Structure formats: C-alpha cells, structure tokens
Amino acid sequence: MTSQTLREARKHEEMMEVHIAPKDRPAFHLSPRVGWMNDPNGFSYYKGEYHLFYQYHPYDSFWGPMHWGHAVSKDLLHWEYLPAALAPDMPYDKDGCFSGSAVTLSDGSQLLLYTGVMKEPQADGSFRDVQTQCVAIGDGRDYEKALDNPVLTEKDLPEGGSRYDFRDPKVWLGEDGVYYCVVGNCTENHDGQILLYSSADGLHWKYESILAKNNGRFGRMWECPDFFALDGKRVVLTSPQDMLPEGFEYHNGNGTLCLIGDFDKNKKTFSEEYNQAVDYGIDFYAPQTILAPDGRRIMIGWMQNWDTCNMRNQPKSWFGQMSLPRELSIKNGRLYQSPVRELDELRCNKVEHKDVLVNGLVRLKGVEGRLVDMELQIRPVDKAQMFQKFAVRFAQDEIHHTAISFRPMESILKVDRKFSGSRRAIIHQRRSMINHEEGKLKLRVILDRLSVEVFVNDGEQVMTATIDTPQDAGGISFFADGNVMVDVVKYDIKDIDR
Ligand code: FRU
C-alpha cells in the first residue's frame, strides 16, 4: 500500500519536473528529479537495469525530511526517473528515510535496507535523532516496508555504540549465501566505527563484530561505510565527518576515506595497511559501490561538499548531482578510479594535436566546449630545464575560467574555480601532491555543464569540483611557464536527450 505521504511526493515530482529544462541540468551526471539530492543509495543491478536511489527532499532545493528518489539506467549515464521509492511515513522513520542500500533476495524481490530516523525529546527540551535500520521489499518500482521494522536497533549495538549515530547500512550477499551489512556508528565520544551484521534472509539480523575502528585518527563519526574485495585485497570506504587535514590529504572537513588491507575471517575484523582520500578535489562525498554483472566494482558519489552546499549563487529550484560512476582497481596499495567505459560510447568529434609546444598561452583548433572528455599527455621539452608551471583553462570566456595547474618542481596539481562564476566566499582551490616522472604527467579531464572531474595518471588520483559557469563560456586554453610538450586528444560528449 502506497502511503499518502509517498503519493503526495510522487504527484509533486511529476508535476514539478516539467519546470526544469534539460539544458539546466548536467548532461550525463544524475541530478534530482526535483528539489534536493544528497547521497547515492541502493546502487544495484536488478532485473537487467542499474538502479540508483538517492537522498531526496522533493519539496525544496535544501535538505529536509528525507525521501528516496529513484532512477534506472542501462549504461550508468542515461538515467530515467522513476517515482520516489520511500517517504518518511512510519513512526520509526517519520523524521527521515536516511541512506541505505539494496540487494536481491532469493525469491527475486529487491530488498532496501535503510536508516529510519525518529526525533526523541531530551530532558533539556531539545531533540536528538534516534537511528535504526529498516527494510522495504519491492519489485524495482514499488516497495513495501516490513512489518517487523526496525530490524536493527540499539539492542544490536556493541557496548558504548551510540544510538544517535547508527546509520547508512550497506548490504551484500556473501559467497557463503549469507547476507551481510556494514553500518556506520560511533562511540559515545564520537569516534567512528563500522559494525558488521549477518542475516540468513535479509530481515533478521545478528551482530557480528566491530569491523573497523577509527581510534581517533580520521575525523569523528564515520558515515556511509562500504566493504568489498578488490584485486586480492579488502577495501573499506567511509565518509568521516569533521576531518582534520593531514599534509595534502583530507582537506574537505566531511571527507572520504579509503582503507586497503585484509579481513580476518575468525575475528571478523579488518586489518588496515594503507589509507588515502578517495577524491582530492572539493566536491565528493558518501560514495557507494556495486559489483556489476561483468565483475567490475563501480563507485558513485555525491558530487558535493556539505560545508558549501548551502552557499548558492542564486536561488534555484533543484540542487545536487552525482559524480561519474567510476571503475575501481588497486595498484601498488592505492585505489585507482577510471570513468566507466560506457562513457567511451558517448565520445564524438575527436580532435587530436600531437607534440604541441606550449610556452605562454596557446589555443588549439577544435579544442573547446562544455561537454568534453579530454586527454592530455604533458612532458618537458628538456628535462634539464624543467618548466615552472603548466595549466589548462576551461569553461572560459573573458570573465570566467576554471584551471588545473601542474608545478613539477613541487609535484603539485591544483584545481582552481575562483573565476568559475561563484559569487560566494567559499573554498575554490584544492592542491594535491601527485606522482610524475620528471615532469611527465597524464590527465583526463571530463567536463559536464556543472562540473569537472580530473583523472590523474590513469586514475591514481581524482580531483572533482562543481562549477556554476554560464554555458556559453566554452573556451579551452593552455599555458606554460617554460617549455612544455603536450599531446591533446579531445572529444565532445554527446548530449543526452531526456
Ligand atoms: C551523509 C549523510 C548520511 C545520512 C544522510 C542523510 O551525507 O549524513 O549519514 O544517512 O546523509 O541525508
């Protein structure tokens, strides 16, 4: 039975979506059908389609009572909106259906495991959110909340685990035929931890272990955990709140963390070998992965930053977008990311310039546009006379540009959107340490209408930023202080008709 609250949300989104022109949305990154979007939820492959749900407030372009928006796709780039899947309509989730995930059950139905939020009055008159894990089962279109909800409550917490920060379950079917999920949690003094649970049927859950603990290192509460095997290792992804920067890592406040290591099957704990940020740009949070039918581990994140998301240039009826889906792998103890190969199918109008000498400002014939996939191979003309700086500017006209600049002597790559059209005093630059062989660097720059994603050295690092630049600012130019040789391969990306 669809509740009145969900029916209203569905009616609202159907009525209001016509007021958003396709040209005002990203072309190949998912944006909310209407209103506000944050975390990706329930990323799954079900009945021959990719499903992506999202944290959704259909009635406003700011965060509010959380619903789940819903879209499906065959290729992870063309998304078709479906009616909202969940609304906060039960006593145990009346203050929000927070983040969660999806898995296929043995009878062929799809299970959504999500966090129900209920405000609890405190002795001092304030309110705090109590968080539990809840289930809804459906057919890929409509979902019925389980009568047994909530299925995980404070009773299922380890000693000292906070009932106020217990959220974002990520579920999967283990090779042993048992369902598992990891849930974000913290101790009473706000130190993040990830809890592991198991279930025979997806409805009845058992506490297993504290899979991983922060021990005061990376931020405070750990949100949106994920846990999976990749290239012979185990990976924990999580989004810690309130991070402190460490050198060039973890500059985003609420940031992303990737831990690479192993799993101790007896203790059911993760042992960590390496840590790194997932994205080194400005706008990336709460990623979630899927194991695609062809074996690829694909990750998608919310292309935003919690600290700046309310600082808008001007009022807008919708807000929020997802990152490109990215294929993951591990090389030399690092997480590598590359845009899903489906993007190659959308490339057209190839323009190639080989061995271009850049010293000062250079523009190249046919290299321009705002829906762009561009590969750059950069090298010094003479290693003995290393260049000071190389930069590429894009989304450019007389007033605007966004730049990526490389300083080989400092091994620094910078993304700078100061002149992208932002009228707000928010963070506009991010620097990252990168690897290069004596000034040799490979970049793949992907532009959609409202974003740039830079894949460095075949995905060894990624820097992501949103930009709010008028679409007719379509210039691309190159600049070098010193002598730089560049190979440029540039494609347009076909606009997607919705
Ligand atoms: C992360 C997050 C989650 C929560 C959701 C609420 O961005 O704070 O922990 O489930 O957003 O919308």
Side-chain angles (χ1 to χ4, degrees):
M1 251 274 291
T2 312
S3 69
Q4 168 104 7
T5 319
L6 185 58
R7 277 203 308 276
E8 275 168 14
R10 288 178 166 187
K11 207 163 121 198
H12 176 81
E13 57 183 7
E14 212 179 300
M15 259 169 52
M16 299 311 283
E17 74 174 337
V18 297
H19 299 297
I20 307 174
K23 291 261 175 282
D24 292 334
R25 293 180 180 275
F28 53 98
H29 291 75
L30 183 66
S31 54
R33 188 167 178 187
V34 298
W36 160 277
M37 158 193 279
N38 59 291
D39 313 355
N41 291 161
F43 190 19
S44 52
Y45 189 80
Y46 179 64
K47 290 188 184 164
E49 293 173 309
Y50 292 100
H51 287 248
L52 190 60
F53 304 80
Y54 50 91
Q55 288 287 279
Y56 185 35
H57 185 213
Y59 301 108
D60 197 351
S61 65
F62 291 89
W63 192 88
M66 279 292 113
H67 296 56
W68 276 35
H70 191 185
V72 286
S73 173
K74 295 265 185 225
D75 67 355
L76 297 156
L77 299 164
H78 299 74
W79 292 97
E80 181 198 329
Y81 292 115
L82 292 182
L86 299 177
D89 52 14
M90 297 301 281
Y92 52 79
D93 65 14
K94 68 178 177 49
D95 294 306
C97 299
F98 275 20
S99 283
S101 51
V103 76
T104 305
L105 294 177
S106 52
D107 67 357
S109 57
Q110 190 178 39
L111 174 136
L112 308 181
L113 184 61
Y114 70 97
T115 300
V117 177
M118 201 170 33
K119 288 201 183 302
E120 182 190 71
Q122 307 292 298
D124 65 0
S126 66
F127 285 86
R128 287 191 80 176
D129 288 352
V130 175
Q131 305 187 331
T132 59
Q133 315 320 317
C134 308
V135 154
I137 295 174
D139 59 0
R141 296 295 183 270
D142 296 301
Y143 295 84
E144 198 78 44
K145 291 179 184 173
L147 292 173
D148 292 348
N149 276 341
V151 296
L152 280 172
T153 69
E154 60 189 280
K155 293 199 297 295
D156 306 293
L157 286 168
E159 207 190 319
S162 165
R163 57 200 279 269
Y164 305 113
D165 288 292
F166 178 38
R167 58 181 175 271
D168 310 337
K170 174 73 200 301
V171 61
W172 71 95
L173 179 62
E175 278 170 8
D176 52 4
V178 175
Y179 294 100
Y180 292 93
C181 76
V182 282
V183 187
N185 185 228
C186 65
T187 60
E188 274 149 9
N189 59 2
H190 293 287
D191 199 23
Q193 57 188 8
I194 296 173
L195 310 179
L196 179 68
Y197 295 88
S198 67
S199 169
D201 58 4
L203 279 165
H204 302 88
W205 289 91
K206 178 173 154 254
Y207 171 74
E208 292 286 350
S209 62
I210 300 179
L211 178 76
K213 280 186 188 184
N214 186 24
N215 293 324
R217 297 165 306 154
F218 306 110
R220 296 192 174 122
M221 166 63 187
W222 282 7
E223 299 190 307
C224 302
D226 200 344
F227 180 54
F228 51 89
L230 185 65
D231 296 333
K233 305 300 284 180
R234 293 293 180 125
V235 178
V236 167
L237 299 181
T238 185
S239 297
Q241 293 182 311
D242 308 318
M243 293 184 99
L244 284 172
E246 282 176 29
F248 283 91
E249 300 275 335
Y250 311 126
H251 282 238
N252 273 344
N254 293 348
T256 50
L257 174 67
C258 170
L259 303 173
I260 299 175
D262 284 306
F263 181 59
D264 182 326
K265 280 198 171 132
N266 298 320
K267 291 199 206 131
K268 297 188 171 141
T269 55
F270 172 77
S271 57
E272 175 190 325
E273 287 171 53
Y274 307 99
N275 70 77
Q276 65 170 95
V278 181
D279 194 284
Y280 291 81
I282 302 170
D283 295 301
F284 191 82
Y285 196 68
Q288 193 171 86
T289 71
I290 182 188
L291 187 61
D294 58 8
R296 287 179 295 166
R297 178 63 61 175
I298 300 173
M299 176 183 75
I300 195 160
W302 182 41
M303 195 154 56
Q304 251 309 315
N305 176 308
W306 271 117
D307 287 337
T308 56
C309 62
N310 293 332
M311 311 280 273
R312 317 270 176 87
N313 273 348
Q314 60 206 9
K316 221 169 124 172
S317 72
W318 66 273
F319 184 82
Q321 34 177 345
M322 293 298 169
S323 73
L324 264 182
R326 303 170 182 178
E327 295 178 18
L328 301 183
S329 58
I330 294 177
K331 279 178 219 151
N332 310 319
R334 279 198 69 87
L335 185 75
Y336 273 66
Q337 304 168 48
S338 48
V340 279
R341 58 198 68 169
E342 284 82 347
L343 187 65
D344 298 354
E345 304 293 313
L346 296 185
R347 306 210 277 197
C348 60
N349 306 335
K350 181 176 180 181
V351 176
E352 193 165 4
H353 294 270
K354 268 189 167 283
D355 298 326
V356 180
L357 174 67
V358 184
N359 186 340
L361 192 68
V362 170
R363 280 176 192 272
L364 297 173
K365 192 161 178 278
V367 179
E368 60 187 4
R370 281 298 289 278
L371 303 182
V372 165
D373 186 346
M374 180 167 65
E375 295 168 353
L376 304 178
Q377 305 224 33
I378 299 150
R379 57 194 178 276
V381 171
D382 176 0
K383 283 184 203 159
Q385 285 189 310
M386 187 56 74
F387 57 95
Q388 292 289 330
K389 174 177 161 177
F390 170 83
V392 49
R393 292 183 183 151
F394 45 85
Q396 184 175 21
D397 61 13
E398 270 109 66
I399 299 168
H400 306 97
H401 70 261
T402 293
I404 301 159
S405 56
F406 169 42
R407 289 183 179 272
M409 320 270 222
E410 292 149 47
S411 300
I412 295 286
L413 190 72
K414 181 169 88 172
V415 56
D416 187 344
R417 63 173 183 193
K418 210 177 5 299
F419 302 107
S420 65
S422 170
R423 292 166 191 269
R424 302 275 74 88
I426 58 174
I427 282 285
H428 290 311
Q429 300 180 16
R430 186 73 77 221
R431 290 181 170 82
S432 179
M433 285 287 259
I434 48 147
N435 290 322
H436 61 97
E437 231 175 82
E438 296 179 285
K440 269 176 80 175
L441 186 69
K442 211 168 154 184
L443 299 177
R444 183 166 171 196
V445 181
I446 296 176
L447 303 181
D448 197 345
R449 293 196 179 98
L450 299 166
S451 63
V452 54
E453 286 159 286
V454 186
F455 294 80
V456 186
N457 292 331
D458 296 311
E460 188 179 24
Q461 266 161 309
V462 188
M463 299 181 85
T464 300
T466 55
I467 54 172
D468 195 3
T469 313
Q471 296 306 312
D472 49 11
I476 297 179
S477 63
F478 304 89
F479 171 83
D481 180 355
N483 286 320
V484 181
M485 203 61 102
V486 194
D487 297 337
V488 180
V489 182
K490 181 245 157 188
Y491 301 88
D492 291 324
I493 296 178
K494 275 181 223 148
D495 199 356
I496 292 174
D497 278 332
R498 276 174 207 283

